[in-house]
């Protein structure tokens, strides 16, 4: 499929919601010849937003993949959502990509979700280039946007272009490497452009930015540094080489500028993708491991001739069977191949391989290292699983997803729909790793959990429209958690005598709070054993861990899962005949329940990071409203004639806030939220929740 790996780029478009990601992608598809007609988000005709819900809402919900050619290279492109409720789509896409294009709204600079997706890309050490989009918008400010990248993202931006004008007067850009002005012909939808001398009024700024660019680039190339220090002339190729070194090392973030809507700057951005983002060969070797021994590292190189190693990063339901998206890291994959799923220890068949273009597909005979493809035929595979050659098993690091923060009860309208609902929920769970469901035996309801109100709304729509299940839903509810505040020890015994073989399990556990560096409870549960083999035989330690963790799934205050603690097995005893796995599981559960009651249990609630943008005249009313919701204002700043409010607010207080802020600001205010952490519920509020 891909010949020369040096000419392959696997990239993702990431940004805050409404920064223009999908419009940028649509322009890329047009200019690369992948589509003959430009789709528009506001018209519901964007190629990459192919779902009915995406077209109706004008937002991206699911990441869409495509492949397009540019100047002899192949770009595998994934357009990701901007809304925090669909953060899993961003997470799993970034896990398998080699580089990113971060898009920013020129009038806003770095926004709340920009920081989130940037942190996600930093987690995988992805080199990114920046595109300051919407320079034609009122209030567009290039310098402010670059400074916000430096200040808020702690990045090292280097401007390779300058805008010519801003807002209505934005007409083109200055190429700082060539020192030429570039103007685009809008009547030909930007497909053609011409280069000319830089207008005199922009010459001083261009020379100043060029000096800064060379100074930053020189730190990554000795020859350029020597010429810069001695005031000798430098050529474009030398600057390009130095910037590429810095960009691939993730120490420089190249900044491009334009307006995707007005067809300006997208072709230069594509040139930047080829010039400054890595090919699969430029990325560090990934270290896999044996499934049986995680300390045994196995290097996985981007080599088409090696043994097969691929990662399943996305699953989508389809009328012809589930479609599994794979990133091939090593070796070659052919249709009709039998592979090993290392995580499940199951053999799987891959019957067909596809190259994807949004929801369209082209059949391939094979694919090799560096490719991103979709396959059918897999049955047991889940998101994050490694597929490899059965003769040479290796497991890649999986994908970690955030925990859910919001619940909603759901039930079928008729008894006949019950089985249908169970099958549909299983499909959704397989497709979406941030979707959870469980059956509440007390109420007889099914509880579904997600990342936010919009997430649950979209899932509900899928159940009704796509899966054809007639369901009744309740209002969304917050996913509370429980934690402990002090150390406690507890003993658990499970002894049954029934005449023949009995049951005997006895453990002593210590439980203690597990806190993060910032003073908040961790979301993890850790287990370790310090008991000797003469107290609890080694073969029962795993059963003790399983029993303890199962018991932590239901706390002692209000039945919510317990998080942020370490369980240590410190003692116990066994019976040479009667001891069993079941007995030690039950003994651990008894000990955990006792220990939780003595460890100062408290209730935790999800707290959101909120950013509201409101008119100056409504600032006081919005701020007062947030304070009344137990919110804490963390920052305020003026942006044009609008006020930006940063705050953290408990999620339970934010249901229906969209309508509230529109009402207070006469429709001019907007806000975004993302999960921040779990914090202790105030006693007076907890009393109402703990019955």
């Amino acid at each position: 499929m891909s010949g020369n790996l040096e000419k392959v780029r696997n990239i993702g478009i990431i940004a805050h919601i409404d920064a223009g990601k999908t419009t940028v992608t649509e322009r890329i598809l047009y200019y690369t010849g992948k589509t003959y007609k430009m789709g528009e988000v506001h018209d519901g005709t964007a190629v990459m937003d192919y779902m009915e819900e995406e077209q109706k809402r004008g937002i991206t919900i699911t990441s869409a993949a495509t492949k397009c050619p540019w100047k002899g290279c192949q770009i595998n492109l994934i357009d990701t959502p901007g809304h925090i409720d669909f953060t899993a789509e961003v997470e799993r896409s970034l896990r398998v990509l080699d580089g990113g294009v971060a898009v920013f709204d020129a009038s806003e600079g770095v926004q709340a979700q920009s920081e989130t997706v940037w942190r996600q890309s930093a987690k995988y050490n992805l080199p990114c280039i920046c595109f300051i989009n919407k320079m034609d918008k009122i209030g567009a400010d290039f310098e402010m946007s670059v400074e916000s990248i430096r200040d808020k993202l702690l990045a090292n931006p280097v401007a390779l272009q300058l805008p010519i004008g801003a807002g209505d007067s934005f007409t083109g850009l200055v190429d700082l490497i060539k020192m030429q002005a570039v103007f685009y012909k809008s009547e030909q939808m930007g497909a053609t452009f011409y280069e000319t001398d830089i207008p005199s009024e922009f010459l001083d700024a261009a020379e100043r930015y060029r000096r800064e660019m060379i100074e930053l680039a020189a730190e990554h190339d000795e020859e350029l540094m020597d010429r810069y220090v001695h005031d000798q002339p430098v050529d474009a190729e030398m600057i390009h080489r130095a910037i590429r070194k810095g960009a691939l090392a993730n120490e420089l973030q190249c900044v491009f500028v334009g307006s995707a809507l007005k067809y300006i700057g997208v072709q230069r951005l594509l040139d930047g993708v080829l010039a400054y983002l890595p090919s699969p060969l430029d990325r560090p070797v990934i270290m896999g491991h044996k499934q049986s021994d995680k300390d045994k590292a196995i290097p996985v190189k981007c080599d088409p001739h090696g043994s097969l190693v691929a990662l399943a990063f996305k699953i989508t339901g389809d009328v012809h069977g589930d479609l599994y998206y794979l990133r091939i890291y090593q070796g070659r994959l052919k249709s009709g191949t039998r592979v090993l799923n290392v995580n499940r220890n199951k053999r799987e068949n891959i019957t067909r391989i596809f190259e994807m273009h949004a929801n369209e597909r082209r059949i391939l005979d094979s694919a090799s290292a560096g490719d991103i493809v979709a396959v059918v035929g897999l049955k047991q595979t889940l998101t994050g699983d490694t597929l490899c050659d059965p003769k040479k098993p290796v497991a890649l690091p999986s994908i970690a997803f955030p925990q859910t923060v919001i619940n909603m009860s759901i039930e079928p309208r008729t008894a006949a729909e019950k089985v249908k609902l169970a099958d549909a929920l299983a499909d959704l769970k397989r497709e979406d790793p941030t979707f959870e469901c469980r059956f509440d035996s007390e109420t007889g309801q099914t509880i579904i959990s997600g990342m936010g109100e919009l997430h649950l709304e979209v899932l509900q729509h899928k159940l009704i429209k796509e899966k054809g299940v007639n369901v009744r839903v309740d209002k969304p509810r917050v996913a509370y958690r429980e934690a402990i505040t002090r150390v406690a020890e507890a003993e658990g015994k499970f002894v049954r005598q029934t005449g023949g073989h009995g049951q005997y399990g006895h453990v002593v556990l210590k439980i203690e709070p597990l806190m993060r560096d910032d003073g908040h409870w961790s979301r993890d549960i850790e287990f370790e054993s310090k008991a000797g083999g003469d107290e609890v035989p080694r073969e029962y330690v795993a059963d003790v861990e399983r029993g303890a963790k199962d018991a932590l799934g239901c706390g002692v205050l209000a039945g919510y899962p317990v998080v942020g603690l370490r369980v240590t097995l410190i003692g116990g005893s066994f019976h040479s005949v009667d001891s069993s796995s079941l007995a030690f599981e039950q003994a651990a559960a008894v000990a955990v329940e006792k220990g939780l009651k003595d460890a100062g249990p408290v209730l935790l609630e999800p707290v959101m990071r909120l950013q509201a943008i409101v008119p100056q005249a409504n600032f006081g009313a919005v701020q007062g409203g947030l304070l009344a919701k137990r919110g804490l204002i963390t920052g305020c700043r003026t942006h044009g004639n609008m006020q930006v409010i940063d705050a953290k607010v408990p999620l339970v207080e934010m249901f229906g806030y969209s309508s509230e802020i529109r009402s207070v600001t006469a429709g001019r205010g907007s806000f975004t939220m993302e999960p921040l952490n779990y914090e202790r519920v105030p006693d007076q509020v907890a009393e109402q929740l703990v019955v």
Side-chain angles (χ1 to χ4, degrees), residues 557-626:
L557 288 176
Y560 294 108
V562 185
V563 296
L565 81 168
R566 180 184 289 112
V567 180
T568 308
L569 175 61
I570 57 175
S573 61
F574 70 101
H575 189 281
S576 58
V577 177
D578 291 349
S579 284
S580 66
S581 294
L582 174 64
F584 274 99
E585 266 191 55
Q586 295 298 319
V590 171
V592 163
E593 191 172 345
K594 284 183 185 175
L596 288 175
K597 290 175 181 175
D598 296 335
V602 293
L603 207 57
L604 304 181
E605 65 180 343
V607 173
M608 311 298 283
R609 180 190 283 119
L610 175 139
Q611 187 176 85
I613 303 174
V614 299
Q616 296 271 15
N618 307 119
F619 169 69
V622 172
Q623 186 182 42
L626 291 173

Side-chain angles (χ1 to χ4, degrees), residues 16-328:
H16 182 91
I17 189 169
D18 283 340
K21 294 178 306 304
T22 301
T23 304
V24 170
T25 306
E26 292 298 319
R27 301 299 183 256
I28 288 173
L29 295 179
Y30 179 77
Y31 295 134
T32 58
K34 195 70 182 180
T35 56
Y36 65 90
K37 181 176 179 291
M38 285 193 194
E40 300 291 356
V41 175
H42 52 268
D43 293 337
T45 57
V47 174
M48 303 299 268
D49 286 350
Y50 58 85
M51 288 172 58
E52 182 188 332
E53 279 289 280
E54 293 179 314
Q55 293 167 357
K56 187 172 81 176
R57 297 173 185 273
I59 61 170
T60 302
I61 290 172
T62 182
S63 55
T66 189
K67 181 176 183 177
C68 43
W70 184 251
K71 296 188 175 178
C73 295
Q74 290 290 344
I75 299 174
N76 291 317
L77 179 69
I78 295 182
D79 176 29
T80 65
H83 202 288
I84 187 63
D85 284 21
F86 311 108
T87 188
E89 292 290 327
V90 183
E91 187 76 36
R92 58 183 171 191
S93 299
L94 293 178
R95 168 66 177 80
V96 298
L97 294 171
D98 299 321
V101 176
V103 181
F104 301 93
D105 184 325
S107 67
E108 305 291 347
V110 172
Q111 295 169 274
Q113 185 65 4
S114 313
E115 297 181 53
T116 303
V117 294
W118 193 269
R119 281 197 302 272
Q120 287 174 301
S121 67
K123 183 162 70 173
Y124 300 114
N125 197 28
L126 280 192
C128 284
I129 61 177
C130 304
F131 183 60
I132 309 294
N133 190 30
K134 301 192 177 185
M135 277 304 303
D136 60 310
K137 190 176 171 184
I138 295 171
D141 189 332
F142 177 74
E143 288 198 19
M144 176 276 295
S145 297
V146 174
E147 280 305 308
S148 69
I149 293 171
R150 182 176 290 111
D151 296 340
K152 293 184 181 179
L153 303 181
L154 303 179
N156 193 17
V158 52
L160 305 189
Q161 299 174 345
L162 279 186
I164 295 177
D168 291 340
S169 64
F170 177 60
T171 53
L173 54 91
V174 173
D175 184 329
L176 294 173
I177 295 181
K178 291 183 177 179
M179 283 301 276
Q180 285 184 313
V182 185
F183 294 97
Y184 292 79
K185 295 187 176 180
S186 59
E187 64 275 8
Q188 295 180 25
M189 295 196 290
T192 58
F193 55 87
Y194 61 94
E195 297 176 344
T196 184
D197 292 339
I198 300 170
S200 56
E201 64 268 32
F202 295 101
L203 201 52
D204 288 344
E207 287 174 350
R208 175 167 56 85
Y209 270 95
R210 180 179 165 85
R211 281 194 300 273
E212 290 176 10
M213 174 187 70
I214 294 173
E215 188 177 332
L216 287 167
E219 295 175 12
H220 302 277
D221 187 274
E222 288 184 12
E223 185 184 356
L224 181 59
M225 175 63 83
D226 186 60
R227 291 202 173 206
Y228 174 69
V229 169
H230 294 96
D231 275 339
Q232 294 177 345
V234 293
D235 57 37
E237 184 54 41
M238 200 178 293
I239 298 171
H240 160 72
R241 186 179 66 232
I243 291 174
R244 179 171 172 78
K245 280 183 191 173
L248 294 187
N250 214 1
E251 293 171 3
L252 284 181
Q253 284 73 42
C254 305
V255 178
F256 294 80
V257 68
S259 166
L261 189 65
K262 298 295 183 186
Y263 322 111
I264 297 176
V266 178
Q267 295 99 319
R268 295 293 168 121
L269 177 65
L270 280 168
D271 292 342
V273 166
L274 303 190
Y276 306 117
L277 288 182
S279 73
L281 296 175
D282 295 319
R283 295 289 285 154
V285 171
I286 292 179
M287 300 309 293
H289 59 80
K290 287 190 173 179
Q291 188 66 6
S292 56
D293 183 5
K294 294 193 175 181
D295 294 329
K296 178 73 175 174
I298 302 173
V300 176
K301 299 177 183 175
C302 188
D303 177 8
H305 305 293
S307 57
L308 175 69
V309 182
L311 186 78
F313 69 94
K314 179 179 166 76
I315 304 167
T316 58
D318 190 88
V319 289
H320 305 297
D322 287 343
L323 201 61
Y324 294 78
Y325 286 77
L326 306 181
R327 162 70 193 262
I328 303 173

